[in-house]
Structures are given as C-alpha cells and as structure tokens.
Amino acid sequence: MANSPHGGVLKDLYIRDEPLKEALQAEAETLPHVVLTERQLCDLELILNGGFSPLQGFHTQAEYTSVVHNNRLPDGTLWTIPIYLDIDRTTLDSLGVSAGSRLTLRDPRDDQPLAIITISDLYTIDRSQEALLVYGADDEAHPAVHYLRHNTRDTLVGGDLQAVNAPQHYDYVAIRRSPAEVRALFKKLNWTRVVAFQTRNPMHRAHRELTVRAARMRHANVLIQPVVGLTKPGDIDHFTRVRVYQAIMPKYPNGMAQLSLLPLAMRMGGPREAVWHAIIRKNFGATHFIVGRDHAGPGSNSQGADFYGPYEAQDLVLKYRDELDIEVVPFQMLTYLPDTDEYQPINEVAEGVKTLNISGTELRRRLKTGAPIPEWFSYPEVVRILREANPPRDLQGFTVFLTGLHASGKESIARALQVALNQEGGRSVSLLLGETIRQELSSELGFTKRERDINVARIGFVAAELTRSGAACIAAPIAPYDEARLQVKKLVAKAGGFYLVHVATPLEVCIKNDRAGVYARAIAGDIKGFTGIDDIYEPPVNPDLVADITKTSISQIVHEIILLLERDGYIGDR
C-alpha cells in the first residue's frame, strides 16, 4: 500500500477541477495574464498534480513568513521551502490586478493557459533574510541566493490555484508520471514498500549498489526519481541523464525498480531541501527515502568552504522523521574495494584496505580528454552515452574572437587562421568578419553603444551555435566594449572553447593602414562616434593572447593561436 500524502489528502487539482475545465478554459482567455518563468512552471506543475501537497496555490505572505521562519505552514504542517509567484510590480500595475483579482498563468513555451490564480495578497520580501534563514548564508555563490538576488521579481503574489491545462511535454512522456499515476503503478505492481532515490546526476555502479542495498535493508522495491526540471547550473542536461538512467535500469533484478521523472526546480538548499524532497516522495507514495552524503548541496561558498556539512541534511530529516511519516534511509558515500571487487560504505571499510574512487571533477576531465573510465566505476553503456554528450576536445567546437580597432589587422589574421584550420581538417571552419555581419545580420543597426552591443550579441549567438555543433568559428569584430565581450564569452563557453585575442595594433598604424580613409573622415568630423577617435575602445582585461602586427608577423600570430588550441586539445593528435 502506498504511503499517505503529506497532510493526509493528495491535492490533485487536475482531478478536482476537471468538471470545471471547459468553463475555466473560457475564463482564462478573458483574464489578464502573465507568462511563467521556468522555475515557476516547475513549481506550478507540482502544485497542480499534488506533488506539493498540501499546497493548493502559491504562498501568501502569512504562509511565506511561517515557512521561512518556522519550517511550517501556518496550520503547523511541516514545510521547509517557500513556493512563491514573483512578478514585477510594473507588470501587475499595468494589468490592473490587486487582491481579489483573477489572473491567468501561461506556459512560457507555447503560451497555453495552465492555471488561474485568485490573488489573496501582494507582498515584498527581505531577500537577505530568506537567504540566511532558508539557505544558511547570504552568499551569491549559492545558486538559490544568486537566483534570489538576480532573477526573483520585486513583488510576490499569493493565492489559490485552479487547474486549466497540464504543461505539454514532448520528451520521455511515458515516464513522466503524476503522484496519482505513480501510486496507481505501485498498486498495479503490488508494491507495498518503496524506497525512493533522488538524483540530479548520471548514475554509475555505486548508485546502483546504494539503491539495491537500501532495497535489501528495507525489503522494498526502488523508485528511481531523477529531477528533470531545474538543477544546479552546469549540470549535465536532462536528456543525457535520462538516457543514462534508462541504460542502467536493466542492471537491476527484474521487477525491483521503476524509473519515473520529477519536474522539480531544485534550490540546492541542503538540509531544508532534503526535508522538502522527502515530503514530495511521500506524496508520490514512497514509504522510504534515501538521503545521502551532502544531499542537495550546492558545493563551496565564496570562501571555498562547503555551504553545508556532509551529513547535515540527514540530521535535519531525521529530526522531523516522526512528522514526515516516511522512513529515512541514510547512506554514507560508497567506495570501491579493488581487492574484493565490491562497493562498501566508506565508514565500514577497515583501516589499511585499498579503495578507489573517481570524483565528479575527475570524471569530467576524463570525458573531456577521452581518458579511459574503468568498468569498476561505471557501465560501458553509461560511459558511451556520456561520451556522446561530452565528446573529447578534438571533437568539440571552439570560437576564436579577435577584437581590435578598425584596420588593426584582425581581419587578415582571421583569414590566415581560417586557412590554417582548414589545412588542419577535422571540423568545418566559419569566418564572421565585422563587415560581413553588419551587412548580413545587422544592416538596420547604427553605431550607438546599445546598437554596437546588439551587434556583438548577435555575433556571440551565431558563434555559440557554431561552437555547439562542433565547428571552428573565427569572429573578428571591433567589439569595443568589455561587458559585451564578456557576455559573448559566457554564452560561447557553455558550448565549447572560447579564446579572446586582442589585436593591439597602435592607433597611428591603424590610421596608416586604412586605405578606405575612414579614419580621415572621422578625424575631419564627417563620421561621428568612431571607435578610437571620438568613441572609446576598452582593451580586454585578460585576453588569451595579445597581438600587434607591428611587432609580430601574421603567420606567427596564427601559429601562437594554433599553439593555444593544441595546448587545450582542440587540435592535434594526442
């Protein structure tokens, strides 16, 4: 028999509001509306399907205050993470809504109406207080605090929801199940004791061993329930992770485990989040929940120390275990014993016994460099999937971004580098010259700072897409402003390599090399806002290479760029 929901009743608003669906759908089209953020979309789905039972809406001010300060809803029910709908005050004012108003909430992906909120109150919060009380520190190195500081809007909207439509998913539909569907699955399979396992990372042999040990200890079946909403920035994408989970499921004894996805927006809130995760798994019907080492921990703070102790999350869940009414299965980290070819909890390994482990950092290094990943650590099927998603450097794309004054020689360097990379072979090479981009992508733009930044952002977008596809991209705009260049780097670096080359040819040489006479016209005042004359050029602070064609030949500059690429493994045979 599945566990009872948190609060005693599964608050599935889809089922509750089904008789009103047609009327709600019609009303939703007549109401003012807002488009949800990605986090709000995840939260909304779990409120509507009962995953966040007993919640039936976004927190009011009283609920928010009670949760932040007391880990409880106003009625005393245990709840540890604030769930709120944040909207800009200017947006609310333009919509003309206030307490008592009804507002349609729309899907950011397809603009479909998902729910109607009846607004109970509008309120503001103390962000520092939330950071300190909920996440333990007002430190932007914590992903949730960074989100709170930079993404959370200024006004919170509390109120109950009515369900209109479920969010439409097109990926892994067969294993996206609501709490009611998971409970029905348990009933069909005659599962009465279920251990739930939360993960946001790929699973390897140690994870399989951990979950099987938990099943043996509690005489239970296993629900693998990975998060496919928002996780920690930099995590492996959920498409790759789900392929890994699907590959590892046959490694369990037949009938022992099921895979079901959870559209949760994690906060990486450590102890409080662990309690929240236990509540959610209880709503899905699990009777047991695995809490491992540093559960939902975000890593290091801005001083280099861990935000939370390794077993702080276990301690808080155990503190509330009687109220949670879901049995916690605490686990220490498992380590591999090569002499006996087995995994053991690290606290059970005798002193002097040889152990092996591969950290997440080391795994990422091996994936990037193509170094071998031993079978004691992971299954060949899993490694193959991870290598497809994380090819070695010589199969990844990169961008070389040359910046400098007009006629500094950056275009000549770019063309020569294109020839050298084409000669090297192995990937397509694209050239994005400043004049070409101006003609083909930005012909409507002028030369104000804002328009220059838009032009550079467009170059960055194209460069990132080319890099993501495994190509070599050479961009050579003037790009005079440091912030715009940093934004390009941030965008491209998510897709592959990025190298900033400052072509620092002196202005007087650029003027001399300018056959078109553009500098002369700018000096004469015929052209306004020309970089280097009456508009600034901000030299890069930390470029990967500084080049000056008056001191170094173009062929030598190209060679130095090639050496950078070879050093990092993007070209050459290692």
Side-chain angles (χ1 to χ4, degrees):
M1 180 178 177
N3 202 351
S4 61
H6 194 53
V9 178
L10 185 67
K11 302 292 187 177
D12 189 324
L13 306 192
Y14 294 120
I15 295 174
R16 185 199 69 183
D17 297 334
E18 179 61 30
L20 303 173
K21 182 173 182 178
E22 189 173 327
L24 290 171
Q25 181 82 42
E27 183 188 4
E29 299 299 336
T30 68
L31 295 172
H33 73 270
V34 293
V35 176
L36 299 171
T37 65
E38 192 173 358
R39 178 195 273 194
Q40 292 167 352
L41 177 65
C42 293
D43 288 348
L44 179 75
E45 182 170 3
L46 286 168
I47 295 172
L48 296 181
N49 70 17
F52 283 176
S53 293
L55 303 191
Q56 299 184 76
F58 288 102
H59 281 160
T60 62
Q61 185 169 15
E63 291 168 334
Y64 171 87
T65 301
S66 182
V67 168
V68 168
H69 287 269
N70 305 316
N71 279 335
R72 297 183 183 280
L73 297 169
D75 66 1
T77 302
L78 183 66
W79 192 272
T80 53
I81 297 292
I83 307 297
Y84 48 75
L85 177 64
D86 54 300
I87 303 174
D88 287 326
R89 169 60 73 171
T90 53
T91 299
L92 293 168
D93 290 344
S94 69
L95 295 173
V97 297
S98 58
S101 299
R102 284 166 67 78
L103 184 67
T104 298
L105 308 181
R106 291 187 176 273
D107 193 317
R109 303 164 304 169
D110 58 15
D111 203 44
Q112 286 297 305
L114 301 179
I116 297 173
I117 183 171
T118 300
I119 299 175
S120 296
D121 55 6
L122 307 175
Y123 59 101
T124 59
I125 59 172
D126 183 331
R127 298 177 194 229
S128 293
Q129 186 178 73
E130 180 180 326
L132 289 168
L133 294 179
V134 178
Y135 305 112
D138 191 4
D139 184 340
E140 289 190 20
H142 194 299
V145 176
H146 186 275
Y147 188 98
L148 182 64
R149 289 291 186 184
H150 297 280
N151 299 91
T152 301
R153 282 76 169 268
D154 58 14
T155 303
L156 273 54
V157 179
D160 286 341
L161 294 164
Q162 288 179 291
V164 179
N165 292 298
Q168 184 67 56
H169 296 289
Y170 299 97
D171 59 325
Y172 308 114
V173 176
I175 51 176
R176 285 183 178 269
R177 302 185 183 97
S178 69
E181 290 169 335
V182 171
R183 288 168 170 273
L185 178 66
F186 292 167
K187 184 176 181 180
K188 180 179 181 180
L189 297 174
N190 293 315
W191 285 11
T192 57
R193 298 170 64 83
V194 182
V195 176
F197 179 64
Q198 146 97 22
T199 182
R200 47 170 258 268
N201 294 311
M203 290 178 66
H204 302 289
R205 287 184 183 269
H207 302 99
R208 186 264 184 198
E209 178 64 23
L210 183 152
T211 52
V212 170
R213 278 172 170 262
R216 284 198 217 106
M217 289 167 56
R218 298 302 191 269
H219 307 287
N221 292 93
V222 179
L223 175 67
I224 306 295
Q225 197 174 42
V227 171
V228 293
L230 292 181
T231 59
K232 184 180 177 181
D235 280 354
I236 291 175
D237 67 276
H238 82 271
F239 297 102
T240 300
R241 291 189 288 110
V242 174
R243 289 197 296 273
V244 165
Y245 306 139
Q246 290 174 324
I248 211 168
M249 291 307 292
K251 307 300 180 182
Y252 288 92
N254 188 40
M256 174 181 280
Q258 286 285 331
L259 173 65
S260 189
L261 308 183
L262 183 69
L264 178 70
M266 291 184 67
R267 274 61 164 179
M268 306 306 299
R272 279 197 179 215
E273 181 136 350
V275 176
W276 186 43
H277 289 174
I279 291 170
I280 294 167
R281 276 23 184 251
K282 180 183 176 184
N283 286 330
F284 276 84
T287 55
H288 301 70
F289 180 55
I290 296 172
V291 180
R293 183 183 184 278
D294 194 26
H295 186 102
S300 301
N301 61 23
S302 55
Q303 282 74 48
D306 288 342
F307 274 99
Y308 310 116
Y311 300 105
E312 199 173 331
Q314 290 183 0
D315 293 341
L316 191 65
V317 176
L318 289 170
K319 174 183 174 181
Y320 291 119
R321 60 184 166 189
D322 292 339
E323 291 182 73
L324 284 169
D325 198 25
I326 183 172
E327 185 176 340
V328 178
V329 186
F331 260 99
Q332 296 218 0
M333 185 178 74
L334 295 186
T335 188
Y336 179 67
L337 282 57
D339 293 338
T340 54
D341 187 28
E342 64 177 336
Y343 278 90
Q344 289 284 350
I346 196 166
N347 62 322
E348 296 179 13
V349 177
E351 186 177 351
V353 173
K354 182 180 179 181
T355 63
L356 296 175
N357 191 32
I358 293 178
S359 67
T361 300
E362 173 62 14
L363 175 62
R364 288 189 290 273
R365 186 195 71 80
R366 293 184 183 219
L367 288 171
K368 285 182 178 179
T369 62
I373 297 171
E375 286 199 31
W376 63 260
F377 177 78
S378 193
Y379 298 98
E381 301 92 327
V382 169
V383 173
R384 177 182 57 78
I385 293 167
L386 293 177
R387 288 204 186 280
E388 286 176 355
N390 300 271
R393 284 278 175 84
D394 61 343
L395 296 178
Q396 294 178 29
F398 60 83
T399 289
V400 177
F401 193 95
L402 300 117
T403 174
L405 296 173
H406 173 68
S408 61
K410 62 185 181 299
E411 294 87 354
S412 298
I413 297 169
R415 289 190 176 94
L417 179 60
Q418 182 186 32
V419 171
L421 292 175
N422 278 329
Q423 179 177 295
E424 176 75 22
R427 55 169 62 82
S428 63
V429 184
S430 294
L431 185 62
L432 305 178
L433 297 179
E435 291 185 3
T436 305
I437 295 299
R438 279 281 178 178
Q439 293 170 3
E440 302 297 333
L441 291 182
S442 300
S443 60
E444 86 285 5
L445 295 179
F447 292 89
T448 65
K449 183 180 186 304
R450 176 179 174 276
E451 289 171 311
R452 288 175 185 268
D453 286 347
I454 291 173
N455 181 57
V456 172
R458 290 176 181 176
I459 293 171
F461 173 79
V462 174
E465 292 303 305
L466 288 167
T467 299
R468 185 172 290 106
S469 69
C473 176
I474 307 165
I478 294 174
Y481 306 121
D482 194 51
E483 179 59 30
R485 295 190 298 258
L486 289 174
Q487 291 303 315
V488 171
K489 179 178 181 179
K490 184 183 296 185
L491 185 64
V492 174
K494 294 177 182 178
F498 181 85
Y499 296 87
L500 181 63
V501 178
H502 179 204
V503 184
T505 305
L507 176 61
E508 60 271 20
V509 177
C510 296
I511 294 173
K512 181 180 177 181
N513 291 343
D514 176 26
R515 291 190 174 187
V518 182
Y519 279 109
R521 292 168 58 199
I523 292 170
D526 296 334
I527 300 175
K528 302 296 183 182
F530 193 80
T531 303
I533 302 302
D534 59 346
D535 196 11
I536 62 170
Y537 177 86
E538 299 174 351
V541 178
N542 292 303
D544 296 286
L545 181 68
V546 178
D548 180 347
I549 63 171
T550 67
K551 298 177 181 178
T552 311
S553 68
I554 287 177
S555 61
Q556 178 61 28
I557 293 169
V558 169
H559 180 62
E560 290 180 18
I561 295 172
I562 293 293
L563 289 176
L564 287 175
L565 295 169
E566 192 282 332
R567 177 199 67 188
D568 294 338
Y570 286 103
I571 61 175
D573 187 9
R574 294 192 172 190

